[in-house]
Amino acid sequence: MNTFVQQIINFLQLGSIYALCALSFTMVYGVARLVNFAHGSIFGVSMYVLFFASTYLFNVIESTWLVYVISLVISCIVTSLIALLLERVAYTPLRNAPKVAVVVSSVGAGMVIEYLILNIAGSKALRMPSLIPNIKFDLLGVSVPLYKFMIIIIAIITMVVLNIVIKKTKLGIAMRAVSQDRVAAGFMGIQTSKVVSASFVFGAIIAAVAASLYGTAYSIFAYDVGESIIWWSFIAAVLGGIGSINGAVLGGYIIGAISVLAPIILPVSSYKDIVAFAVLIIVLLVKPTGLLGKKGIEKI
Amino acid sequence: MTQKKNKTNGKGTIFWQVAGVSVFALILVLVKELGLVSTSVLLILQYVGIYSILALGINIVNGYLGVFSLAHAGFMAIGAYVSATLSKYVFMNDWMFIISIFLGGIAALLVGILVAIPSFKTKGDYLAIITLGFSLIIQSVLQNANFVGASQGLNNIPKFTNIYWVFGCLGVAVILVDRFIHSKYGRSLKAIREDQTASMLVSVDVRRIKTIAFALSAFLIGVSGALISHLLGYTSPSAYGFTNIVDGLVMVYLGGMGSIIGSIFGSTAWQLIVQLLKNLGTWRWVVGGGLLVVVMIFLPKGVFGYMELKDIGHKVKGFFNGSKHREDQ
């Protein structure tokens, strides 16, 4: 029972992080229809900004919560600015180019950002200061640290807010319109290029939130932190169905479940990748558009 | 257009090919035997050759067939491991290297036929994910397989690879790809790239063609894996991960899709960038990445996108003659 509860919490924690990462990835993916390979570097940037901001702020401010909120806001702003710059430099000039050109230019842009981080901040692994007070709870006889709850709660709040924004606000409706048909959306008076920029900003903000949660959960990170994150979010987003918000969340939780379950069931923990990909391939062979792709599900 | 030219100048082309190959071989012999270049340059040349074979292989599926596949890391790993194991335990002589290269390629080819199956139904990014999954599954399997050294990989592989083997294989690969894309199959390949449904309507056997394309692509990639493992003397699963996938894509798309000379140019350029900027330390990746962005902005199809040298020649001639005749892809 004890281990069961623990595993459930681990699953929710990991799944929430993956889901948020997949969401941040799917924002640009869904609206602009391009695989943003530089997204992992955006994630890395937000991680480093958060680290430096919070380390500095801990000298000034006592309250952990306040530090968390302020450094998260700083990280969101910086990350959004970099994402906007990225869009201007590496994507806007390629709007009418073939898709692969954008893929390569995003790979290049990602390399630039990643190795700029390496050269500025060094290759040493860093340790994120704990951003959430170290309190432990008792849940069904298992002592669970507060941060695990907070990760799950913050992730869910972010998803709900995002869903409301996409469904109810004018910007969200415009984003869905551009996602469905860019040309037609332009005819309806939507400024498509601004909507695409907005999707980059949204993606960056969610990535910053996800990075803060990742930093809380795993604390140690280095300059290449975003590299594997980006592939797993790509996988989660595709598993759920490209451009579908709910699909990305579902995909994220499925990947989380596999990562937690596979080491328990299988003899060697590194078989988890094999299982994840086997599931993925089977799903895509049966339903070639992902779990929630098409079929009247809204696409952002 | 290319077709017509090939038919009319058939004999002349072969003559020039033979002449080119012999001149090239002569240069190689001079370079290697007379020690005209330093060992490090020789090494870079071998890298260029090996990665050109890899890029050619990727280009068949990603360029000519127009399918966004990420399976090359997996094929390369299979080629490397199979050939390395063979030459470690079975074909231990120098001259038998050709057999282990060939068998490494064949092993990759057989797996390539399997990987082609998902491409019948799924498309675009979904297929990209499936092929990515294949590559990473191969990597995971190798990491856990004790008989090939698990995550340590294979060591003490005989270093059979030298510049003759590399450029010999590259020559064969170029001729193979050239013949293939100018054959009936190659034309079907391009037809599928332009419009799959339409090509089915004119009775192109899409499944068969896709299988053949994947098989040939996997074979070439497997051969490049075999060469690189015998060049370095060791191989490990970590070499066939994300970095390898991205490297391969960059070389193909930098040089240009659907072009033999593009593949060679792309891998040469990328290897040169990586090697020449070595003095910059880690800054070289910043510079290299920036270069990629700039090239893509100004040449979105890659440097030689869907063009060969002779097409470029025509373009230049047309430019100087002031002809208004426009070249289409």
Side-chain angles (χ1 to χ4, degrees):
Chain A
M1 185 66 196
N2 273 4
T3 43
F4 180 70
V5 175
Q6 222 146 26
Q7 295 302 350
I8 289 282
I9 291 187
N10 281 345
F11 150 63
L12 284 174
Q13 179 197 330
L14 195 63
S16 304
I17 294 175
Y18 276 136
L20 269 194
C21 292
L23 259 186
S24 68
F25 183 75
T26 218
M27 290 305 297
V28 175
Y29 197 18
V31 174
R33 287 294 139 129
L34 59 89
V35 185
N36 183 4
F37 279 112
H39 193 73
S41 311
I42 296 274
F43 185 88
V45 168
S46 54
M47 205 83 179
Y48 273 82
V49 174
L50 199 71
F51 169 78
F52 287 118
S54 59
T55 324
Y56 174 72
L57 284 172
F58 267 118
N59 300 325
V60 190
I61 308 169
E62 283 289 304
S63 157
T64 321
W65 290 111
L66 205 55
V67 170
Y68 179 56
V69 172
I70 296 176
S71 44
L72 183 59
V73 169
I74 295 174
S75 152
C76 282
I77 294 170
V78 175
T79 318
S80 314
L81 288 178
I82 290 185
L84 273 181
L85 182 72
L86 187 76
E87 195 230 340
R88 269 304 124 73
V89 175
Y91 297 105
T92 318
L94 287 163
R95 192 172 298 150
N96 301 319
K99 204 173 149 194
V100 288
V102 191
V103 169
V104 175
S105 110
S106 76
V107 168
M111 274 168 69
V112 171
I113 298 176
E114 188 178 319
Y115 285 92
L116 274 179
I117 297 178
L118 172 68
N119 285 308
I120 294 167
S123 61
K124 216 171 54 196
L126 298 172
R127 192 186 189 87
M128 187 74 92
S130 54
L131 295 168
I132 288 169
N134 196 8
I135 308 169
K136 288 205 170 168
F137 273 95
D138 207 53
L139 184 82
L140 297 168
V142 185
S143 111
V144 185
L146 176 66
Y147 76 81
K148 291 203 173 183
F149 279 117
M150 290 312 297
I151 287 173
I152 299 166
I153 292 168
I154 293 172
I156 290 173
I157 291 174
T158 317
M159 290 171 209
V160 170
V161 170
L162 184 72
N163 235 323
I164 293 171
V165 170
I166 295 295
K167 282 209 177 114
K168 306 278 175 189
T169 64
K170 228 174 171 179
L171 178 62
I173 295 169
M175 280 173 131
R176 281 189 284 153
V178 173
S179 166
Q180 277 171 14
D181 191 332
R182 193 165 179 163
V183 179
F187 288 151
M188 300 300 134
I190 295 169
Q191 284 178 299
T192 45
S193 61
K194 281 198 178 153
V195 172
V196 170
S197 304
S199 76
F200 270 86
V201 172
F202 272 45
I205 290 175
I206 303 168
V209 176
S212 77
L213 301 185
Y214 182 88
T216 316
Y218 301 107
S219 70
I220 292 174
F221 65 98
Y223 71 99
D224 55 355
V225 57
E227 235 168 56
S228 66
I229 293 276
I230 175 71
W231 291 103
W232 285 108
S233 7
F234 187 17
I235 292 159
V238 173
L239 183 62
I242 293 170
S244 152
I245 287 200
N246 297 337
V249 173
L250 182 67
Y253 278 106
I254 290 176
I255 300 285
I258 292 171
S259 307
V260 172
L261 274 178
I264 303 172
I265 299 168
L266 297 165
V268 186
S269 64
S270 46
Y271 280 138
K272 105 176 184 223
D273 297 359
I274 304 180
V275 179
F277 281 113
V279 168
L280 185 80
I281 290 175
I282 292 166
V283 167
L284 289 184
L285 284 180
V286 176
K287 202 164 178 309
T289 50
L291 285 171
L292 298 184
K294 275 191 180 167
K295 272 207 169 174
I297 302 293
E298 81 275 8
K299 293 177 175 180
I300 49 148
Chain B
M1 203 205 104
T2 335
Q3 309 308 330
K4 219 194 256 167
K5 201 167 179 273
N6 249 14
K7 257 178 207 163
T8 47
N9 298 6
K11 274 194 183 145
T13 323
I14 288 172
F15 170 75
W16 283 113
Q17 277 172 357
V18 171
V21 167
S22 1
V23 169
F24 198 72
L26 198 68
I27 293 173
L28 276 187
V29 172
L30 287 177
V31 162
K32 172 97 194 293
E33 302 303 333
L34 299 179
L36 287 179
V37 292
S38 62
T39 349
S40 57
V41 176
L42 209 62
L43 194 68
I44 294 176
L45 280 177
Q46 296 184 46
Y47 275 123
V48 166
I50 293 173
Y51 281 111
S52 298
I53 300 174
L54 171 69
L56 276 176
I58 300 173
N59 217 336
I60 292 176
V61 166
N62 291 38
Y64 292 107
L65 183 58
V67 165
F68 191 54
S69 158
L70 302 171
H72 46 273
F75 294 144
M76 203 170 171
I78 292 171
Y81 269 80
V82 169
S83 67
T85 318
L86 284 177
S87 54
K88 254 179 102 167
Y89 301 112
V90 189
F91 304 112
M92 296 197 279
N93 283 342
D94 203 347
W95 62 269
M96 284 173 166
F97 184 34
I98 184 87
I99 306 174
S100 38
I101 294 180
F102 186 72
L103 289 179
I106 291 295
L109 181 144
L110 294 176
V111 181
I113 291 174
L114 286 181
V115 176
I117 294 172
S119 77
F120 299 156
K121 245 179 155 183
T122 34
K123 274 195 253 179
D125 295 337
Y126 295 105
L127 187 63
I129 285 290
I130 290 181
T131 48
L132 170 69
F134 160 75
S135 282
L136 296 186
I137 285 179
I138 296 286
Q139 194 192 16
S140 272
V141 168
L142 291 176
Q143 261 162 1
N144 291 302
N146 285 320
F147 62 96
V148 287
S151 56
Q152 297 287 317
L154 290 172
N155 289 314
N156 300 327
I157 303 169
K159 290 190 182 178
F160 287 151
T161 304
N162 60 26
I163 202 150
Y164 303 129
W165 283 115
V166 170
F167 283 92
C169 288
L170 178 60
V172 173
V174 168
I175 292 168
L176 205 63
V177 174
D178 188 54
R179 284 292 152 92
F180 177 68
I181 56 168
H182 290 132
S183 70
K184 179 179 102 188
Y185 301 109
R187 286 192 289 278
S188 312
L189 219 64
K190 288 178 200 160
I192 293 172
R193 176 182 77 204
E194 299 304 331
D195 194 329
Q196 183 166 332
T197 322
S199 55
M200 268 158 112
L201 287 175
V202 292
S203 38
V204 170
D205 189 343
V206 172
R207 292 188 170 204
R208 188 154 159 247
I209 301 294
K210 279 189 173 174
T211 314
I212 293 172
F214 265 93
L216 182 60
S217 158
F219 178 76
L220 292 178
I221 297 169
V223 167
S224 76
L227 287 169
I228 200 122
S229 64
H230 288 80
L231 176 68
L232 298 170
Y234 61 88
T235 191
S236 69
S238 60
Y240 306 103
F242 296 125
T243 333
N244 186 294
I245 294 175
V246 170
D247 261 3
L249 287 184
V250 164
M251 287 186 288
V252 171
Y253 293 132
L254 181 68
M257 283 191 295
S259 160
I260 294 174
I261 187 75
S263 300
I264 296 170
F265 175 82
S267 31
T268 313
W270 190 237
Q271 289 307 315
L272 284 183
I273 288 173
V274 171
Q275 302 291 343
L276 288 179
L277 297 177
K278 230 170 192 170
N279 297 333
L280 294 175
T282 44
W283 280 102
R284 72 177 147 150
W285 299 112
V286 178
V287 178
L291 272 178
L292 273 188
V293 177
V294 172
V295 170
M296 282 303 128
I297 289 174
F298 291 106
L299 295 163
K301 279 183 198 150
V303 178
F304 289 97
Y306 303 114
M307 282 192 291
E308 297 297 347
L309 270 184
K310 50 188 174 227
D311 301 328
I312 303 267
H314 273 268
K315 254 192 174 172
V316 174
K317 243 184 241 167
F319 179 78
F320 282 117
N321 292 341
S323 114
K324 279 173 194 154
H325 174 73
R326 277 210 186 147
E327 197 85 28
D328 46 6
Q329 303 165 7

